[in-house]
Amino acid sequence: MTQPKKVLAFDFGASSGRAILASFENNRLSIEEVHRFENNPVTENGHLRWDFPYLLENVKEGVRRAGTFDSLGFDTWGVDFGLLDENGTLLERPVHYRDERTQGMVEQALQKMDADRLYAATGTQIMGINSLFQLLAIQKQEPELLEKAHTLLFMPDLFAYALCGSKNCERSIASTAQMLDLEKGCWSSAVLEAFGLPARLLKEPAASGTVIGQLDNGAKVVAVAGHDTQCAVAALPATEPDAAFLSCGTWSLLGCELDAPVLTRESRELGLSNELGANGKINYLKNIIGLWLIQESRREWKRQGRDYSYADLERLALAEPALRSFIDPDDPLFTPPGDLPGRVQEYCRKTGQPVPESVGQIMRCIYESLALKYRFALSQLEQETGRTFRTLHILGGGTKDKLLCRLTADCTGKKVVAGPIEATALGNILIQLVTLGALEDLDAGRRMLAETEELKVYETDPKADWQKAYERFVKLL
């Protein structure tokens, strides 16, 4: 019999935040959402920003509603950060990764350190949203801000600091920055020196599961895997070597666990990324725009006065003919908010494909394009690792989308295991339970989830001509 434990997980997504209270006793886990709140960016001083004061007030409300618990931990999206002055005061609201300040920064940066050297030093896919390029934008556009800054805290560490006063840098969130040496587990001096960035900003990375402070009520503050993707992977209900994972939310992160990073030129050119996982392994993965395509399309139709539920959109997609038109989900055309359905039509028109006209046709195009991009990413992973994946575990909110899961199984030819739905929060919780000694290690937690969580299996059934569709899709890329 294990000692009962209660832990509080704060899980932040791109549009909302949640406080999840978990009770663990006799190897059984129960969870309850005690608080949910919106996460809406604000525009201030010409930049799109996270409304940190509002979010922090909701964190405190979540703590109040949770009552008594043993520990808490935070996970958020990657790359974004807050800057503190020498007195520990937040200098400004953290800037959102979708802000336009980093436009052109990648090209300028690569003149100082070429892409092969930068990738070999960090293993991170080179993207304009990465923390490195955000810092370079500040260095160029607001040098006085960088002069005032004394400490950089990534978003989960910033929330923890606001509650307990401890300045910490957790390693999984640090590995999204394009500045971490994955092989040594420390900040890359080569990168900092090449770009003239002050080392004083960066705290030494700490392992996931480190206790970094406590609240007034005695609850421990645990630096879980701060990057939500790594929390989701921590809850992967499998340890078999032939399984890949797809953390499916606003972004899709498709990857596998490795013992060492892949830092080759070919890996860089394929757009693959290496991140540190909660268990110390490398999560080798591909960043793909995910449910954002569906979420933003739904928001655009709502702005036009047409309010569809997600079930409505799935039903309309199912009613349309299969495999007519495709988009590359990761084309920059689809990154900004706005008229995403119109951009789908524009892409198809420019690439000489039938233009989807109805809501159902646009949704069918998006669904099938995501499935095809997942197949493409899986083939790249298999090529670079020399492994053959037989199972794809879909984790997170995307598991509720049965059509996407079915199309992914049929398109990839892999068995798809969908679940847990609450993978990110569960990973956060498991890491805390390991830290408290209630679980032996993460593998024990994964085995527990495999036995207790409701998982849905989709066996591949390729009725449509996916191979020809895939060949057409690859030509688009």
Side-chain angles (χ1 to χ4, degrees), residues 9 17 81 126 199 267 381 405 457 469:
F81 53 83
I126 299 173
S267 178
L381 285 174
C405 293
V457 177

Side-chain angles (χ1 to χ4, degrees), residues 205-451:
S208 308
T210 299
V211 176
I212 60 173
Q214 68 178 34
L215 305 184
D216 291 340
N217 64 8
K220 293 180 172 65
V221 179
V222 179
V224 298
H227 191 202
D228 52 9
T229 299
Q230 306 314 327
C231 272
V233 176
L236 183 69
T239 55
E240 68 265 26
D242 63 350
F245 63 79
L246 172 60
S247 178
C248 188
T250 300
W251 287 85
S252 289
L253 292 304
L254 194 153
C256 62
E257 289 187 321
L258 299 178
D259 292 325
V262 180
L263 304 173
T264 62
R265 171 182 287 185
E266 185 176 52
S267 178
R268 176 189 67 77
E269 290 176 343
L270 292 177
L272 295 167
S273 197
N274 299 266
E275 293 184 13
L276 283 173
N279 57 1
K281 288 187 177 292
I282 295 294
N283 285 331
Y284 188 48
L285 50 83
K286 180 91 167 186
N287 288 282
I288 303 168
I289 283 186
L291 301 183
W292 162 259
L293 297 171
I294 298 171
Q295 295 163 348
E296 188 60 17
S297 293
R298 179 172 177 258
R299 282 189 285 266
E300 175 60 24
W301 284 316
K302 189 173 183 178
R303 289 189 285 265
Q304 297 173 7
R306 295 184 286 174
D307 193 0
Y308 298 105
S309 69
Y310 288 114
D312 291 335
L313 295 178
E314 183 176 333
R315 175 179 52 79
L316 291 169
L318 275 168
E320 297 296 336
L323 307 176
R324 292 179 71 246
S325 306
F326 314 121
I327 60 170
D328 176 6
D330 294 308
D331 190 291
L333 184 67
F334 305 115
T335 301
D339 184 10
L340 204 142
R343 293 184 209 141
V344 170
Q345 293 172 318
E346 177 187 346
Y347 183 97
C348 293
R349 188 177 298 110
K350 286 185 175 180
T351 51
Q353 302 179 86
V355 177
E357 299 294 344
S358 68
V359 170
Q361 288 172 358
I362 292 169
M363 288 305 303
R364 187 88 193 195
C365 174
I366 290 173
Y367 272 117
E368 292 174 345
S369 298
L370 284 172
L372 288 160
K373 195 61 182 278
Y374 297 156
R375 174 172 171 173
F376 184 74
L378 276 169
S379 71
Q380 292 180 326
L381 285 174
E382 291 182 335
Q383 171 185 323
E384 290 303 290
T385 62
R387 294 161 64 178
T388 299
F389 302 110
R390 293 177 174 81
T391 303
L392 177 64
H393 284 268
I394 298 184
L395 309 166
T399 62
K400 293 184 288 188
D401 199 320
K402 296 178 182 178
L403 177 57
L404 182 60
C405 293
R406 160 58 52 208
L407 292 176
T408 300
D410 291 347
C411 178
T412 63
K414 314 291 184 185
K415 179 176 76 173
V416 166
V417 180
I421 294 173
E422 296 288 358
T424 306
L426 286 170
N428 183 321
I429 290 161
L430 292 183
I431 295 166
Q432 292 188 61
L433 291 174
V434 171
T435 301
L436 296 175
L439 284 172
E440 181 181 356
D441 54 25
L442 271 183
D443 283 342
R446 285 174 162 181
R447 289 192 296 270
M448 176 186 68
L449 294 181
E451 295 170 1

Side-chain angles (χ1 to χ4, degrees), residues 69-343:
F69 51 90
D70 297 290
S71 66
L72 63 74
F74 295 92
D75 68 76
T76 76
W77 58 93
V79 308
D80 288 342
F81 53 83
L83 295 173
L84 309 180
D85 67 15
E86 60 182 357
N87 298 315
T89 301
L90 184 64
L91 288 167
E92 60 176 17
R93 297 179 203 234
V95 175
H96 193 297
Y97 62 83
R98 291 192 191 275
D99 185 73
E100 295 181 353
R101 66 176 175 174
T102 57
Q103 285 188 0
M105 294 313 303
V106 172
E107 294 76 12
Q108 293 178 41
L110 295 184
Q111 293 175 11
K112 293 185 178 180
M113 190 176 197
D114 68 52
D116 286 340
R117 286 179 59 217
L118 182 57
Y119 188 80
T122 65
T124 309
Q125 181 184 0
I126 299 173
M127 298 188 294
I129 65 174
N130 292 349
S131 314
L132 169 63
F133 305 113
Q134 294 197 42
L135 281 171
L136 294 179
I138 297 172
Q139 184 186 63
K140 180 179 181 181
Q141 300 161 15
E142 301 177 274
E144 67 285 354
L145 178 61
L146 208 57
E147 284 294 320
K148 293 178 184 176
H150 189 268
T151 306
L152 180 153
L153 294 181
F154 294 99
M155 293 305 297
D157 303 319
L158 185 61
F159 284 113
Y161 166 71
L163 286 192
C164 73
S166 176
K167 299 173 185 175
N168 178 71
C169 176
E170 187 277 324
R171 65 184 180 186
S172 78
I173 198 79
S175 69
T176 69
Q178 195 100 59
M179 296 185 289
L180 193 72
D181 184 324
L182 292 177
E183 295 181 305
K184 296 179 180 178
C186 62
W187 297 108
S188 170
S189 58
V191 171
L192 297 182
E193 290 170 9
F195 297 109
L197 293 173
R200 71 171 187 276
L201 292 177
L202 303 170
K203 308 289 291 182
E204 281 305 305
S208 308
T210 299
V211 176
I212 60 173
Q214 68 178 34
L215 305 184
D216 291 340
N217 64 8
K220 293 180 172 65
V221 179
V222 179
V224 298
H227 191 202
D228 52 9
T229 299
Q230 306 314 327
C231 272
V233 176
L236 183 69
T239 55
E240 68 265 26
D242 63 350
F245 63 79
L246 172 60
S247 178
C248 188
T250 300
W251 287 85
S252 289
L253 292 304
L254 194 153
C256 62
E257 289 187 321
L258 299 178
D259 292 325
V262 180
L263 304 173
T264 62
R265 171 182 287 185
E266 185 176 52
S267 178
R268 176 189 67 77
E269 290 176 343
L270 292 177
L272 295 167
S273 197
N274 299 266
E275 293 184 13
L276 283 173
N279 57 1
K281 288 187 177 292
I282 295 294
N283 285 331
Y284 188 48
L285 50 83
K286 180 91 167 186
N287 288 282
I288 303 168
I289 283 186
L291 301 183
W292 162 259
L293 297 171
I294 298 171
Q295 295 163 348
E296 188 60 17
S297 293
R298 179 172 177 258
R299 282 189 285 266
E300 175 60 24
W301 284 316
K302 189 173 183 178
R303 289 189 285 265
Q304 297 173 7
R306 295 184 286 174
D307 193 0
Y308 298 105
S309 69
Y310 288 114
D312 291 335
L313 295 178
E314 183 176 333
R315 175 179 52 79
L316 291 169
L318 275 168
E320 297 296 336
L323 307 176
R324 292 179 71 246
S325 306
F326 314 121
I327 60 170
D328 176 6
D330 294 308
D331 190 291
L333 184 67
F334 305 115
T335 301
D339 184 10
L340 204 142
R343 293 184 209 141

